[in-house]
Amino acid sequence: MTEKKETTEQNTELNAAQKVHEQLGFIKVFPLKKPIMTPMGEVNQVTARLVMVEDYEKAAIEHPENGALQQLYVMGIACGLTREDFRKMAWADYQKIRSFCSGD
């Protein structure tokens, strides 16, 4: 029972911290118009964090000649998704997340 209580307390603290980060604009939660299936199960919402310069550096190393793949790579880092996950995503959902990640 102690483990479950600790997990609940940790989740409460995480949710409180997540709300503060969202209010400050560091992260944003995007409910998806169309859920996507991933190897981990169905995803109904995506939490994205601000993209950092180091994320773009990693993307440039990984995909030096392809800007589109760099963008997908960076968004994957910021959201915890893979390129395959984005392929399954509705365009409207992708555009909202891309706009946040690129600072538009």
Side-chain angles (χ1 to χ4, degrees):
M1 205 48 123
T2 306
E3 288 179 28
K4 198 167 204 171
K5 183 178 178 184
E6 287 175 6
T7 302
T8 303
E9 289 174 2
Q10 289 170 344
N11 286 341
T12 302
E13 290 173 13
L14 178 62
N15 290 337
Q18 195 171 24
K19 286 179 184 177
V20 170
H21 284 156
E22 191 167 11
Q23 289 171 346
L24 294 172
F26 297 152
I27 65 167
K28 186 166 182 176
V29 178
F30 296 91
L32 299 178
K33 291 181 185 242
K34 182 181 179 295
I36 58 174
M37 284 302 296
T38 72
M40 301 300 289
E42 186 175 85
V43 175
N44 295 305
Q45 68 180 21
V46 173
T47 301
R49 67 160 173 80
L50 284 178
V51 172
M52 308 304 289
V53 172
E54 68 183 338
D55 299 333
Y56 273 103
E57 289 176 339
K58 290 176 187 174
I61 291 168
E62 195 69 28
H63 302 285
E65 302 296 325
N66 192 319
L69 291 179
Q70 287 177 11
Q71 185 177 60
L72 284 170
Y73 189 87
V74 166
M75 289 175 58
I77 292 171
C79 300
L81 297 174
T82 66
R83 188 170 35 175
E84 185 61 33
D85 297 333
F86 286 114
R87 284 185 182 139
K88 298 174 189 173
M89 190 175 285
W91 184 250
D93 292 329
Y94 173 82
Q95 287 293 88
K96 288 188 293 185
I97 296 167
R98 188 205 56 76
S99 181
F100 172 77
C101 287
S102 65
D104 293 343

